[in-house]
Amino acid sequence: MEVQDAVYRMEPPGVKLFEALHKMVVGIVRGVQEAENPGKAFETFWSKNGVEPVMMWMKEQRQRMHLSEISPPESFVDIDVGTGPLMADSGLSLQDEDVKLAIVTTASLPWMTGTAVNPLLRAAYLSRLKKQVTLLVPWLSPSDQMEVHPDGKVFESPKEQEAYVRKWLKNRVGFESDFKLRFYPGYYEREKGSIFAFGDITEYVPDGEAQVAVLEEPEHLNWYHVGRRWCDKFNHVVGIVHTNYLEYVRREEGQFKSNMLKVFNDWVVRAAGVHTVVKLSDAVQEFKNSENITCFVHGVSPKFLEVGRMVSERFSELESVKATFVSCMTSSETSRENLPAQSSPLDDDSFPGFDKGCYFLGKVLWGKGYSELLNLMQSCGRNVDVDVFGGGPDLQEVENEAERRHLRLHFRGAKDHGDVDFHRYKVFINPSMSDVVATTTAEALAMGKFVICADHPSNAFFRQFRNCLVYRNAAEFSNCLTKALAEEPAPLLPQELRDLSWEAATERFLLVAEPQREQQDRQMPKMLDDITARAIWHTHQGLQHFEAYRVAIGAPRGTSSMLPDLTDVKRFEMRPAPRGPVFLDSSRDRLMFNLSSKVAKVSTSNGKPRDGKCTGTCAAETGSDSSAAAAARKTLRLKMEDLPRSAVLLR
């Protein structure tokens, strides 16, 4: 308790406010100064009628400044920091074998989320190409580990978790990888469903290894980042956008807060100096002052591709058997009795055939596609069986709503998509409109299944595959469902398997993340952008030192400072949830409700709720269509429309 009081005790607000304003003003002045004295730059530009003298002077100033500010962390004093990050004209290329990449992500196994799995696989395949890769992942307190890890798994030390990660990785990719795995102290925010860092993550990369930074979720990593600017630490900074936070906030908090977050995301990414933003799809926002490239730079693990190859081979053999049978039956010289005995290639135990129908897999949150799934299954006119795999905070509500609508959805619990039980399903349904790109969709295609997905930017990459069935409305969804259940998927072509592989994804990443030289006519605008970005950065950093500001944007108190040791994260196990006025984290607890309870309150025969639960007189349970029940449902629907879309279903 004494430690907690020390952590959360605040200084008098007047003193803190003065310090914050002072730092902000000094930051703005420094931002202009560090932009290499714009007045002198412009004077030189106009007098010489060219930008080359200005750029040379800027380079000299920047290099002199960096050499005077190098101060590596104590734990890395044995590392040779050399002359600091390379300059833009030094010929740095991601194609070089000895290039040093630091991949920073916001999650780690055994949490089976995209930001844990995909950066890990990216590190493995980059190291396979002889790149010098360091993967930075968060280390959580025991209570946070129990919150995010399946079955409440807890590691006693980072070394134990690293052994688990490397064992899982070897089983998944089939080869040993030699990248470095480092941990930084982090904490889990339940209301956001995200992990954030204590202090400055850049301190966990020695200056001698700081050439290229790959920020997995650059906006997420910089919301509460305190410390060195990424582009000052690294020569080249690449951001990979995984998550459509704007869509989640729009569903949870409304359009206004989504617009606020869009501006804030752009603010922090621009301030951090991210040179290239790689968007997995156009479902996410554009970021100013960065090169925006849309490219799917994720791949599918070999185990899924092997299933796809096996399925394709089996069906090719089956087609060959069918063709032989037809040829023999149409020949006048051959009778049925003379046909050679042939067993079906699908009789092999390794692949018994697609003897199961439809399934959906994903974390059970309304915003993860469950609203769309229930709406489509109800309105398409075909009530088919769908097995749902996943767990999450909205599981009970989704189950209740599916039962209320009399839909044949069967909830099977959480399961790894690589489990052999999934081999027998023929159709993967993914109606989510909040994904950037769904890894599960790529995995299902790799396993040779039909995939039914929406006509949405997040699915643009998958449209090229023959087994991808795209719909725009409920009627088209019904047609896709009919086709998928009646036909067999087409065998995967070699090029399709290649496009889905991590080898191809890594090649795409190296291509789009390559440092680009600025054209001569773009150097002056680039300098002005740098002035603005540095001013924004120092303003943001000045505010980040003001505790009330951090709390207002949703950060817990006491998380801005570096921790002396990773084990110090235990001090924050009992921290209170933040309740900031700007991004109010309590909104989910406050607005999410038990749907069946609300239905009971307005549709019981006597108009009174019965202990907040649906009873035998509830229209949702009995399925009665009386005018009173219909009126009650209409009233409830109007009330629902005032709540976040993730909390309720609007249809």
Side-chain angles (χ1 to χ4, degrees), residues 393-503:
D394 296 340
L395 176 60
Q396 190 59 54
E397 290 185 7
V398 175
E399 286 188 23
N400 292 343
E401 181 64 10
E403 183 178 357
R404 188 184 73 83
R405 297 188 183 201
H406 307 292
L407 300 176
R408 287 152 60 181
L409 268 60
H410 312 286
F411 296 85
R412 309 297 189 188
K415 184 175 290 188
D416 191 321
H417 206 187
D419 195 288
V420 294
D421 289 346
F422 288 107
H423 296 180
R424 305 174 71 158
Y425 287 93
K426 184 169 70 168
V427 184
F428 177 70
I429 301 174
N430 187 6
S432 177
M433 305 285 278
S434 62
D435 288 322
V436 178
V437 173
T439 303
T440 51
T441 298
E443 291 169 350
L445 284 171
M447 289 190 287
K449 306 179 187 304
F450 276 122
V451 166
I452 301 177
C453 58
D455 184 8
H456 188 261
S458 62
N459 298 315
F461 177 79
F462 304 126
R463 296 179 68 100
Q464 61 182 303
F465 297 92
R466 297 179 296 168
N467 292 332
C468 182
L469 307 178
V470 180
Y471 65 88
R472 290 171 294 182
N473 50 50
E476 291 187 2
F477 174 80
S478 181
N479 293 337
C480 291
L481 192 59
T482 301
K483 173 182 174 64
L485 292 175
E487 301 178 9
E488 295 297 331
L492 288 170
L493 300 174
Q495 186 58 46
E496 291 179 320
L497 288 168
R498 167 69 181 170
D499 290 340
L500 288 168
S501 69
W502 263 104
E503 287 84 357

Side-chain angles (χ1 to χ4, degrees), residues 536-564:
I536 292 174
W537 171 254
H538 287 294
T539 302
H540 182 57
Q541 287 297 292
L543 290 172
Q544 287 286 358
H545 287 88
F546 186 30
E547 193 78 342
Y549 169 77
R550 287 178 57 82
V551 172
I553 61 175
R557 295 189 180 100
T559 57
S560 61
S561 302
M562 295 287 292
L563 298 183

Side-chain angles (χ1 to χ4, degrees), residues 1-9:
M1 183 60 68
E2 293 179 359
V3 174
Q4 277 192 336
D5 292 340
V7 171
Y8 299 120
R9 187 171 59 248

